[in-house]
Amino acid sequence: MPEIDWQLLNLDRWDSNIKLAICSLLDANDAPLDGAESLCGALESVRDLFCLMRHFRPLRTKALRDFDAAIDDRTRPQDGGYCELCWRVSIRSSRLQELEAQQRYEVGEIVRSGQCQLSAEEQGAKLAQALMLESCLKLAPSCTLISKAEAAKLRLVFERFRIDRILAGNLSDRYCAVHKPGSAKYHADLRYKAAFQHHLSALSGSGRSEFAFNFRPPSAADIQEIRKVAYDQVHSGLHVVTSRKAPSLGLREKVWLMHQEGISQSEMARRLGISRQAISKARKSLESLMNTHHAGSYINPLTGEAQVPDPARKAIRDATMKGLSITVIAKELGLSKGTVDGLVRLMKSSRHA
């Protein structure tokens, strides 16, 4: 076995040991024991470090003679990574997206600053030629619209952003900015991790849902919207999902199954040993729950948070200024707590930017 692969195998073994250590610090509901929150966060950070170290491969190695071009894969194009606890992109992916947008803007500024009288078609061609320089060591003869001075400026921009991308590789690819290990939100949602991942499998068709009443993805849903469905589902409170025991259906799910069979409310009440009023309340709660999910099911591709009408955003902003809690705001507007929490965080970050 090449030395580098042996070292990576050792990393996997250490990662398994740390996972066991983290499990020993959790109670039956997968929540950290009293006083163990900081240690759990620190161990998760070590796992993030191991994940990062797996990407490092030596530029040259005696173990493999033909391995000279094996460069750290953080410098290569990467697909978007998502948080293990929700629908948001990881901290690393978010930073890479920001760098991509910033680089494209700066390239466009250089291209536009040197334009004389070019048609719209020529302007588009010049921008395309400029972007080609990122992967070309020298300007191709066909790039007649870019001057040597512009090419020199562009190469400096591409080199600066290449370094920034390498630095971005140090950021977490497992969690988003909301779920940084050690934060309160991280510990609150960590208990739902297994259920969240399981329901994602169910939505992709590779698993079976543990819920009797399931939310449906919105029309033409993208990856983030499907992940938002899974997040809302496991946080819906339909039944306990944080226990290691086999899940048992809640009252609302039992009522839903009987409703699907065409059983009357009177018969439901008799079978479940509760009043008809309780059955009616359970059905109304299901309807409200579905409406709450639908109200925040579409994701804004620019912000990564739920797409809600402007009046709702204004109401959230006003309620936040009054000091109302996330729970109260969500109940008043008919939105889920996860949706409101994300929008409040987005508004706060926009004010600080």
Side-chain angles (χ1 to χ4, degrees):
M1 178 185 294
E3 182 180 357
I4 181 63
D5 292 330
W6 173 77
Q7 292 170 348
L8 291 173
L9 180 61
N10 280 339
L11 279 181
D12 289 335
R13 290 171 176 169
W14 273 104
D15 186 56
S16 298
N17 290 337
I18 292 179
K19 285 174 65 177
L20 289 174
I22 293 175
C23 290
S24 70
L25 298 174
L26 304 178
D27 60 21
N29 295 323
D30 288 337
L33 300 171
D34 290 340
E37 294 85 356
S38 298
L39 181 55
C40 282
L43 292 176
E44 284 287 358
S45 297
V46 173
R47 293 193 65 204
D48 278 338
L49 179 61
F50 285 171
C51 183
L52 170 64
M53 292 174 67
R54 288 190 187 95
H55 294 299
F56 287 105
R57 306 284 294 214
L59 186 61
R60 295 178 182 274
T61 174
K62 295 179 181 178
L64 294 176
R65 294 181 180 179
D66 298 326
F67 209 48
D68 291 349
I71 303 173
D72 174 9
D73 67 1
R74 294 177 302 154
T75 63
R76 304 170 189 166
Q78 302 180 52
D79 294 331
Y82 295 94
C83 178
E84 295 181 3
L85 302 180
C86 71
W87 68 91
R88 301 175 180 91
V89 296
S90 67
I91 298 175
R92 183 193 302 174
S93 296
S94 178
R95 178 56 179 159
L96 289 173
Q97 291 174 6
E98 291 175 1
L99 291 174
E100 181 67 25
Q102 291 174 9
Q103 176 179 292
R104 193 171 184 86
Y105 173 78
E106 292 192 24
V107 170
E109 286 291 292
I110 293 175
V111 169
R112 286 188 292 271
S113 64
Q115 290 178 355
C116 297
Q117 296 295 329
L118 298 179
S119 64
E121 184 177 350
E122 288 175 325
Q123 292 175 9
K126 187 173 183 180
L127 178 60
Q129 291 175 4
L131 294 173
M132 286 171 56
L133 285 176
E134 185 174 12
S135 57
C136 297
L137 295 179
K138 62 180 180 178
L139 200 62
S142 60
C143 297
T144 56
L145 297 174
I146 298 176
S147 67
K148 291 184 177 180
E150 289 172 336
K153 292 180 181 178
L154 288 169
R155 290 194 182 96
L156 290 175
V157 169
F158 290 139
E159 177 61 18
R160 175 159 50 84
F161 278 97
R162 186 187 72 83
I163 295 173
D164 287 341
R165 288 190 179 93
I166 293 175
L167 294 176
N170 297 323
L171 302 175
S172 173
D173 200 32
R174 295 180 59 203
Y175 300 107
C176 63
V178 174
H179 291 108
K180 291 181 179 179
S183 66
K185 190 64 176 174
Y186 165 80
H187 289 299
D189 286 355
L190 184 62
R191 299 172 298 164
Y192 297 85
K193 180 178 178 178
F196 174 69
Q197 297 294 338
H198 179 85
H199 199 69
L200 275 179
S201 300
L203 290 173
S204 66
S206 59
R208 183 178 179 180
S209 173
E210 296 181 344
F211 293 87
F213 182 82
N214 288 275
F215 298 148
R216 294 182 179 179
S219 177
D222 60 20
I223 296 177
Q224 279 193 296
E225 287 166 341
I226 291 175
R227 295 179 71 88
K228 179 67 158 58
V229 173
Y231 183 89
D232 286 352
Q233 185 78 53
V234 301
H235 288 265
S236 63
L238 286 170
H239 65 244
V240 177
V241 298
T242 56
S243 174
R244 297 180 182 178
K245 298 179 181 179
S248 57
L249 298 182
L251 173 61
R252 290 177 292 181
E253 292 176 292
K254 293 177 181 177
V255 170
W256 171 252
L257 289 176
M258 292 182 183
H259 171 72
Q260 293 292 92
E261 296 176 12
I263 299 175
S264 66
Q265 289 193 20
S266 298
E267 180 62 15
M268 291 182 197
R270 187 189 68 80
R271 293 188 184 185
L272 296 174
I274 58 178
S275 65
R276 288 184 57 185
Q277 290 79 4
I279 298 294
S280 178
K281 184 177 180 181
R283 292 188 59 181
K284 289 180 179 178
S285 176
L286 283 176
E287 182 179 352
S288 175
L289 193 62
M290 181 63 78
N291 291 337
T292 295
H293 164 67
H294 280 313
S297 59
Y298 286 96
I299 301 296
N300 186 321
L302 298 178
T303 64
E305 296 296 343
Q307 180 72 58
V308 299
D310 289 338
R313 290 175 60 86
K314 184 179 183 303
I316 292 174
R317 187 180 298 108
D318 294 342
T320 304
M321 296 296 291
K322 294 178 182 177
L324 298 181
S325 67
I326 298 295
T327 302
V328 172
I329 298 174
K331 186 175 181 180
E332 289 185 354
L333 298 180
L335 297 170
S336 69
K337 290 191 291 184
T339 294
V340 173
D341 180 68
L343 291 172
V344 169
R345 291 173 184 271
L346 178 64
M347 292 174 186
K348 290 180 178 179
S349 63
S350 298
R351 287 200 301 267
H352 295 158

